[in-house]
Amino acid sequence: MTSPVIDTPAAGAGAAARAADLWKVYGSGEAQVIALRGVSVELERGRFTAIMGPSGSGKSTLMHCMAGLDSATRGHLTIGDTALNGLGDAGLTRLRREKVGFIFQQFNLLPTLTAEENILLPLAIAGRKADPQWFQTVIDTVGLGDRLGHRPNQLSGGQQQRVACARALVSQPEVIFADEPTGNLDSRSGAEILSFLRRSVTEHGQTIVMVTHDANAASYADRVIFLADGQIVDELLEPTADAVLDRIKRLDVMSSPTARPDGPPGQRTVEDSPSATATGATE
Amino acid sequence: MIKASLRGLLQRKLRLSLAVFAIVLSVAFLAGSLVLSDTLNARFTALFSTINQNVSVVVQAKDPQAVEPARLTDAQLRALSEVDGVRAVSPDVSAQGVIPFRATDGEPVSADAALGFGVDGNDDPLGLVELREGRWPTAEGEVAITAHTAELAKVKRGEQLKVYLPVLNEPRTFTVVGVAGYSGGRDSLAGEVVVMFQQSFAQQTFYGATGLYGGASFAAEEGVSDDALKQRIAAQLPDGFKALTGQESSEEQSAQVGVLFDVFKYILIGFAVVAGVVGIFLIFNTFNIIVAQRTRELALLRALGAGWGQVAGSVLLEALVVSLVGATVGLAAGIGVAAAGEAAITSEVALPSAGLVVAPLTVILAYLLGVVVTLVAAFVPAVRASSVPPVAAMRDVVRPDKSLTALSIVGAVFALPGVGLVLFGAFADLGGTAFLVLLGGAVLVFIGALLLSPLLARPIVRGLGALVGRGSAGNLGVRNAARNPRRTAVTAAAIIIGVTVIGMTATVVQSFKTSLTDIMGDNIGVEVMIQASVTAAPDGRQGFNPKALEQVRAIPGVKEAAAWHFDALGVSVAGQPQAFGIFATDVGQAARMFPIDATDGTIRTLAAQELVLDDNIAETLKLKAGDRTPVVIGGVTRDYTVVGVYRATPLIQGILVGEPAVADFPGPLAFQGFVSLNDGVDAAPVVTQIETIMKDYPGVQVGDRQSYVDQATASYDFLLIAVQILLLVALVIALLGILNTLVLSIVERTRELGLVRAVGLSRGGLVWMVTVESVLITVFGVFLGLALGVGLGAAFTKALMTLEFATVIAIPWLELAQYLLAAVVAGVLAAVIPARMAARLNVLDAISYE
């Protein structure tokens, strides 16, 4: 099986994270669901990449696999110069500790910790001290100076996400993965968060990968990758919101049944999150 | 609605199974206790029915424990046997405490019952006892014994047997001329030893004269009912006797013996109570958390039109089903416990089998306990469930933690007066009522402390956490333990209850032991103690002959030997019954061996009708030196003169009379002996020699000073062990409670766990985090429990000091440290399953949104 090869600019030594021929298959037999079909992508250091696609396109699965949260069925994954394949739980834990930062859509903060303690949590877990100067810079960037002693339930949703951003930034990881970071926010708070992310890339050279379905959010990125049916189908550099919307419309046409030459009949794609396994684990 | 709640029940069966377990434990102990008691009673009834199988009517003294019980004369017995309808008569000449010595090593045979009978040389007219070999005794120096006795004493027909005779208070040697058994080929009925003497010798020895009988058993002629014969015999009975049918006699006897096994019953009921109380907290917590987790589901039901009553009812229905399941399993387990208990007891005491008895009352009480405990525990959660607003189905309704203020005020309302009462009871000189005041205060303090425990949870957990919460994982564990103080407090309540009881007992026991050791060590010149072990109220009929002390005084190195007689049966002074009895000894000698300080009059060797007493009793009886007062000993009233009053100490207290008064005691035997030695004499060889002298007196023990302290504190140690077992039961349930809370918390915090894993916490870190939380909850409970227990124990000891039962408050640090360690281990164990659950969570699943 072949996959469309997307021309990736500046491929090579500058990659913060890389996926080569990545497959992700859930279940087997009748219930088999293919979430990713041979995706190859490189995320360059010091750039802000957005991953877009309709529901079920596999964009969250791609991010989870590249971040080491989910295992690949096949394919090669690296973060920095570390290969993810074959790393056990301890290895993946260390990788997350040292090289990866996360910003989730919600439930980003521990309710028992203050904002400052939440920000410093990854460093505390790793047994490292924060560089006071950098910590101050991060705090200034996200504008939380007077709220550091507050607990999450005393903060608004936007403030909570700013704390989450600060937490991801403070350990200066190889790459920050953000999963719909503005999905739960009003447009003004969302814009603030996106500006912080943009500035941390521009001013501090941080690498950020963001999954989103919001064209406006994607327009803050340097590069947008479009997924459909578990494959990368398009990409856009230096996007504007209009350009992104335009591409999405074209993709909708492409992914309609008549325009899908190689989809086996009866096969369906997964939702963004594998909810079947999620509910299984909570019981 | 009912269908919905039952289906929900099945889905939550895992979580509820722990709550069920608490009910099972409680019900099992209760049912076990009742079944065991009924089963043993059935066995005893079977036993005595066997003894009375051919007996229609029994005639016996109304008060067999009297100093001079009534006796039947030959003429009276003859008159009764001529009553119309009597077919056969078996007169009773018997005594207890007739103890044979083993032929091989000269040690007394140990058996639960050792009986002596007088037999008239003919076969048993009622056919219970059958001669197996040889013949019945016909001369003074002859005895017959049962086959079981022969086995225990290791003698055969024709051999010599040494037997201790209780009224003569010395052993004699007899020739075994016959071996007997019981009808049906049994060697013994219940493991008893029986020696049968020539009848006139037995009468002379046991009753002091020939021609006397303790009672008789009668068989009726055909066609005469037991009741009819009883009526006829009763009409002719001499004073002081009563007639019972064989059946009535069996019931009365089995009830008397059954009392001996009541201690097992009460221990098991104690366990049932502790398990029940602790179980309430566990069940309460479980339902509370389940209701919190079902908020959306309950709100949906409300939005779909369910009334609040239906919602509350669904929770209570769930509780009812849980309780019925728990009670059923508990009842089955209880029957198992009873079967094991019966097996253990009957392996010691051979009793005829009567099968396990599961009375309808047992079943009813078992279900009642299970249902009541569960419904009480589930009531508050049910009310809470009914208050979920329908809108909660649509969005998260923020239900802020209820303030602890109201709860804490109620707690203070209990605790403060409680503390006041405890202090009042401890420091005010209230005499015996101090303990009632203290007990009331203790209960109030305890309830208050449980209500205040949520308020205390946060600061104490944080304080303790500062010690263990190193590193970020530990720190997170500390915060989790402190985040929901109500949950932490309720989870720890089981431990608080158990540890308070044990801490209190340990403190009182330790104080008492330390006091006694201090006094014994410092003040007395006594090196060797002789002590009779008693099975009934001591009255001079158990112990050793004081003449034996003459041999003791002859041992080289012995300075003095004093005999103490003790009578606790029916003694009264100045018209007041004295439950603690009266001592008779050479008081002048006692003053040389023990510290006795006179506060009034003089303390000296007493003549007849003179007494001294301690200051507490003198105050109660309003007596002072020089007063004359009536004293009743052994049923005889005489006027005594108060010679002196002395200060009560934990060692010496009570009313003392001189040796001449022993003549009035029911028996002449000494209860205790004290021996002082010359300087530099080693006690050990003297103890051995005195043991040889005392060998003739079964049940008399000899030991050095330390063994006396050990013996004096042995019953307190037993109490402590019983309470420790109780603690173990509470700890097991508490462990389940913590496990339960942690599992439910982990389910609640799935996303948080995923988050900390995503930001780099390792599996080991997660396990440590959960363990720290678990250990902190446990240690919080132990900490609070020990503080309460030691405080209350110290207060009780203070009251004991006022009454001169103790001299110091001693805190058992070693035991306290052990309890703390046990709690830490329990906390770690409780965390194993939840921690594994947490560590196994898939990070991705944990952070995924619905």
Side-chain angles (χ1 to χ4, degrees):
Chain A
M1 221 186 226
T2 55
S3 55
V5 177
I6 296 297
D7 134 274
T8 43
R18 182 188 302 144
D21 193 23
L22 175 62
W23 286 77
K24 180 70 189 175
V25 182
Y26 294 106
S28 60
E30 282 287 296
Q32 195 179 60
V33 168
I34 301 180
L36 295 174
R37 312 164 173 265
V39 173
S40 297
V41 65
E42 293 204 0
L43 305 170
E44 304 143 83
R45 216 177 284 278
R47 295 194 71 181
F48 189 173
T49 309
I51 303 177
M52 291 200 76
S55 284
S57 62
K59 59 185 190 296
S60 282
T61 307
L62 174 62
M63 194 198 84
H64 290 152
C65 287
M66 293 193 75
L69 291 176
D70 204 351
S71 60
T73 309
R74 208 171 83 204
H76 191 74
L77 292 163
T78 52
I79 288 181
D81 46 11
T82 310
L84 269 57
N85 305 62
L87 278 184
D89 183 74
L92 286 173
T93 301
R94 243 184 56 210
L95 180 90
R96 289 198 293 270
R97 220 181 247 184
E98 290 165 4
K99 301 200 167 168
V100 181
F102 287 101
I103 304 168
F104 302 113
Q105 187 177 353
Q106 45 182 295
F107 294 111
N108 257 310
L109 308 178
L110 288 192
T112 53
L113 303 183
T114 63
E116 180 173 4
E117 287 166 332
N118 264 298
I119 293 170
L120 294 173
L121 183 64
L123 292 173
I125 287 173
R128 283 191 283 155
K129 279 249 178 288
D131 171 3
Q133 218 178 333
W134 174 241
F135 178 73
Q136 200 51 51
T137 310
V138 170
I139 298 304
D140 291 346
T141 309
V142 297
L144 275 169
D146 54 341
R147 300 265 166 182
L148 285 179
H150 288 51
R151 283 178 196 275
N153 60 9
Q154 297 164 309
L155 299 173
S156 70
Q159 286 166 335
Q160 289 185 25
Q161 276 314 65
R162 280 194 260 164
V163 174
C165 290
R167 186 192 59 212
L169 289 169
V170 80
S171 54
Q172 293 175 282
E174 193 92 20
V175 52
I176 292 175
F177 292 98
D179 192 356
E180 306 257 19
T182 59
N184 256 15
L185 300 180
D186 60 70
S187 56
R188 203 178 125 200
S189 305
E192 275 173 14
I193 296 295
L194 289 164
S195 312
F196 300 141
L197 296 180
R198 178 69 255 170
R199 273 169 63 196
S200 65
V201 173
T202 312
E203 292 171 17
H204 307 296
Q206 180 65 55
T207 310
I208 297 179
V209 183
M210 173 175 74
V211 167
T212 184
H213 60 258
D214 173 7
N216 187 46
S219 69
Y220 285 80
D222 298 314
R223 171 189 177 203
V224 184
I225 296 171
F226 294 91
L227 252 72
D229 284 333
Q231 289 170 311
I232 295 178
V233 290
D234 203 352
E235 78 161 306
L236 191 61
L237 295 176
E238 307 300 335
T240 62
D242 287 342
V244 173
L245 275 175
D246 197 43
R247 290 292 168 98
I248 290 173
K249 275 180 206 150
R250 268 171 44 201
L251 285 176
D252 280 348
V253 176
M254 260 178 67
S255 60
S256 67
T258 46
R260 259 174 70 187
D262 61 347
Q267 203 164 58
R268 63 181 182 86
T269 48
V270 264
E271 292 296 305
D272 267 12
S273 64
S275 58
T277 46
T279 45
T282 50
E283 256 308 315
Chain B
M1 196 64 211
I2 286 178
K3 214 170 169 182
S5 45
L6 289 183
R7 191 159 297 154
L9 184 74
L10 282 176
Q11 286 166 357
R12 286 183 296 277
K13 58 184 182 293
L14 195 78
R15 293 174 210 174
L16 286 170
S17 58
L18 288 167
V20 169
F21 191 79
I23 305 166
V24 168
L25 266 186
S26 179
V27 170
F29 284 124
L30 178 78
S33 147
L34 297 175
V35 172
L36 180 62
S37 151
D38 289 346
T39 299
L40 287 176
N41 273 338
R43 277 192 177 236
F44 284 118
T45 308
L47 167 68
F48 290 109
S49 301
T50 311
I51 295 174
N52 291 329
Q53 58 188 345
N54 299 325
V55 175
S56 304
V57 176
V58 175
V59 167
Q60 64 189 54
K62 274 181 185 157
D63 181 8
Q65 300 298 319
V67 177
E68 293 286 346
R71 307 285 183 217
L72 284 177
T73 63
D74 265 329
Q76 287 168 333
L77 180 68
R78 206 173 311 116
L80 289 175
S81 55
E82 282 162 6
V83 167
D84 190 28
V86 171
R87 177 176 58 81
V89 185
S90 173
D92 172 44
V93 177
S94 62
Q96 298 194 2
V98 177
I99 301 165
F101 292 79
R102 260 200 302 275
T104 42
D105 56 6
E107 292 292 326
V109 167
S110 83
D112 293 302
L115 306 167
F117 289 100
V119 292
D120 62 5
N122 299 314
D123 283 343
D124 179 7
L126 300 178
L128 176 63
V129 183
E130 297 166 346
L131 197 61
R132 289 198 188 159
E133 50 176 294
R135 56 179 175 80
W136 298 109
T138 52
E140 279 200 5
E142 295 176 349
V143 291
I145 54 178
T146 57
H148 184 62
T149 312
E151 191 184 319
L152 287 184
K154 298 189 183 352
V155 288
K156 290 199 279 289
R157 182 161 63 96
E159 291 179 349
Q160 301 288 298
L161 177 66
K162 187 164 119 177
V163 182
Y164 179 81
L165 295 169
V167 182
L168 294 181
N169 302 320
E170 59 182 33
R172 290 267 180 90
T173 302
F174 300 87
T175 308
V176 177
V177 297
V179 177
Y182 295 93
S183 59
R186 277 172 296 178
D187 289 350
S188 84
L189 291 173
E192 76 288 348
V193 245
V194 172
V195 181
M196 287 159 281
F197 304 89
Q198 184 209 19
Q199 193 168 66
S200 58
F201 172 75
Q203 288 169 327
Q204 183 71 49
T205 309
F206 300 158
Y207 301 153
T210 53
L212 293 179
Y213 303 90
S217 302
F218 300 84
E221 280 174 355
E222 201 127 339
V224 179
S225 77
D226 291 357
D227 272 325
L229 190 62
K230 178 184 145 186
Q231 300 296 335
R232 291 182 207 167
I233 287 178
Q236 309 236 352
L237 272 185
D239 282 350
F241 282 91
K242 61 178 177 180
L244 302 168
T245 62
Q247 170 108 26
E248 286 167 351
S249 171
S250 301
E251 284 164 8
E252 191 183 286
Q253 283 172 294
S254 55
Q256 282 168 1
V257 182
V259 170
L260 298 178
F261 293 91
D262 277 357
V263 61
F264 295 106
K265 184 172 164 179
Y266 292 128
I267 288 177
L268 285 176
I269 287 181
F271 286 2
V273 169
V274 168
V277 170
V278 171
I280 284 181
F281 286 94
L282 196 152
I283 297 161
F284 170 77
N285 220 8
T286 306
F287 276 92
N288 241 347
I289 296 173
I290 286 175
V291 165
Q293 288 180 339
R294 287 173 63 201
T295 301
R296 263 172 198 274
E297 181 192 331
L298 294 170
L300 184 65
L301 287 172
R302 294 277 278 133
L304 294 177
W308 69 264
Q310 283 172 303
V311 169
S314 80
V315 174
L316 287 178
L317 178 69
E318 187 166 333
L320 184 70
V321 173
V322 164
S323 71
L324 290 177
V325 171
T328 306
V329 179
L331 186 61
I335 294 170
V337 167
E342 192 204 15
I345 290 174
T346 51
S347 71
E348 297 290 321
V349 187
L351 284 172
S353 172
L356 278 176
V357 181
V358 184
L361 185 69
T362 304
V363 176
I364 293 169
L365 285 177
Y367 278 101
L368 205 63
L369 176 74
V371 170
V372 167
V373 161
T374 315
L375 290 188
V376 164
F379 184 74
V380 171
V383 170
R384 194 164 294 173
S386 71
S387 71
V388 170
V391 68
M394 267 61 80
R395 56 180 168 82
D396 281 330
V397 175
V398 181
R399 299 225 278 174
D401 280 353
K402 271 200 292 181
S403 159
L404 294 170
T405 315
L407 191 69
S408 302
I409 289 172
V410 176
V413 165
F414 276 96
L416 291 178
V419 169
L421 275 182
V422 167
L423 291 178
F424 182 63
F427 289 97
D429 192 355
L430 299 174
T433 44
F435 293 101
L436 278 180
V437 174
L438 270 171
L439 200 66
V443 169
L444 288 181
V445 167
F446 190 64
I447 294 172
L450 283 181
L451 292 173
L452 284 168
S453 62
L455 187 72
L456 299 171
R458 242 180 212 153
I460 293 181
V461 165
R462 286 200 184 132
L464 294 168
L467 302 174
V468 291
R470 303 271 159 78
S472 56
N475 188 23
L476 289 173
V478 175
R479 283 165 194 262
N480 280 337
R483 78 197 273 182
N484 192 337
R486 278 167 195 266
R487 189 182 288 186
T488 297
V490 172
T491 307
I495 300 176
I496 299 175
I497 295 168
V499 173
T500 302
V501 175
I502 184 83
M504 197 165 94
T505 316
T507 304
V508 172
V509 168
Q510 179 77 12
S511 301
F512 187 79
K513 284 168 79 169
T514 309
S515 302
L516 206 63
T517 310
D518 283 358
I519 298 158
M520 299 292 287
D522 295 348
N523 296 321
I524 64 168
V526 176
E527 300 292 342
V528 184
M529 324 278 174
I530 305 163
Q531 174 83 42
S533 59
V534 289
T535 52
D539 59 1
R541 289 188 282 198
Q542 287 174 304
F544 60 93
N545 194 328
K547 279 186 193 138
L549 288 189
E550 279 163 25
Q551 288 168 268
V552 172
R553 289 186 188 104
I555 298 170
V558 169
K559 194 158 114 193
E560 283 191 276
W564 283 60
H565 299 257
F566 183 49
D567 181 12
L569 208 66
V571 173
S572 89
V573 175
Q576 302 289 316
Q578 297 298 312
F580 291 107
I582 200 160
F583 293 94
T585 188
D586 180 341
V587 176
Q589 188 183 35
R592 289 194 296 276
M593 300 173 95
F594 299 98
I596 303 182
D597 297 333
T599 58
D600 187 16
T602 54
I603 301 299
R604 58 163 169 79
T605 300
L606 300 176
Q609 290 173 259
E610 288 184 336
L611 64 80
V612 297
L613 34 65
D614 74 46
D615 48 358
N616 289 335
I617 300 177
E619 198 184 314
T620 313
L621 298 179
K622 298 184 174 56
L623 289 175
K624 58 184 189 309
D627 286 353
R628 288 180 71 77
T629 184
V631 174
V632 182
I633 300 174
V636 183
T637 309
R638 297 182 204 279
D639 269 353
Y640 274 66
T641 307
V642 177
V643 172
V645 177
Y646 65 94
R647 185 170 297 114
T649 64
L651 197 60
I652 304 288
Q653 48 189 307
I655 302 163
L656 311 181
V657 293
E659 286 181 312
V662 174
D664 289 340
F665 277 35
L669 297 187
F671 175 65
Q672 286 173 312
F674 299 99
V675 179
S676 62
L677 302 178
N678 291 322
D679 288 348
V681 176
D682 185 11
V686 178
V687 168
T688 313
Q689 290 180 71
I690 298 178
E691 271 174 349
T692 312
I693 295 167
M694 292 295 159
K695 212 173 198 177
D696 284 348
Y697 303 99
V700 171
Q701 278 151 14
V702 181
D704 59 13
R705 187 189 293 173
Q706 185 54 45
S707 73
Y708 181 73
V709 175
D710 292 347
Q711 200 198 332
T713 56
S715 55
Y716 298 92
D717 284 336
F718 177 77
L719 178 73
L720 195 61
I721 289 169
V723 175
Q724 278 169 341
I725 295 173
L726 211 65
L727 173 78
L728 203 69
V729 174
L731 210 59
V732 167
I733 298 178
L735 199 131
L736 294 174
I738 294 167
L739 185 119
N740 197 16
T741 302
L742 288 177
V743 166
L744 296 167
S745 295
I746 281 165
V747 172
E748 275 184 356
R749 298 175 194 156
T750 303
R751 286 174 201 288
E752 285 175 36
L753 298 175
L755 180 69
V756 291
R757 290 281 281 138
V759 299
L761 194 67
S762 62
R763 280 201 172 131
L766 212 54
V767 169
W768 177 236
M769 181 177 114
V770 176
T771 306
V772 164
E773 181 176 357
S774 171
V775 169
L776 278 180
I777 295 174
T778 327
V779 173
F780 163 69
V782 173
F783 190 83
L784 209 59
L786 283 184
L788 273 176
V790 170
L792 292 175
F796 272 98
T797 308
K798 185 74 192 60
L800 283 172
M801 285 162 70
T802 315
L803 292 172
E804 305 295 347
F805 279 107
T807 53
V808 288
I809 295 172
I811 293 168
W813 294 110
L814 184 69
E815 272 101 337
L816 300 193
Q818 286 167 351
Y819 302 147
L820 200 64
L821 192 71
V824 171
V825 172
V828 171
L829 285 179
V832 170
I833 292 173
R836 278 171 54 120
M837 259 181 72
R840 277 207 208 131
L841 280 180
N842 182 321
V843 183
L844 189 61
D845 293 345
I847 57 165
S848 297
Y849 327 124
E850 277 153 20

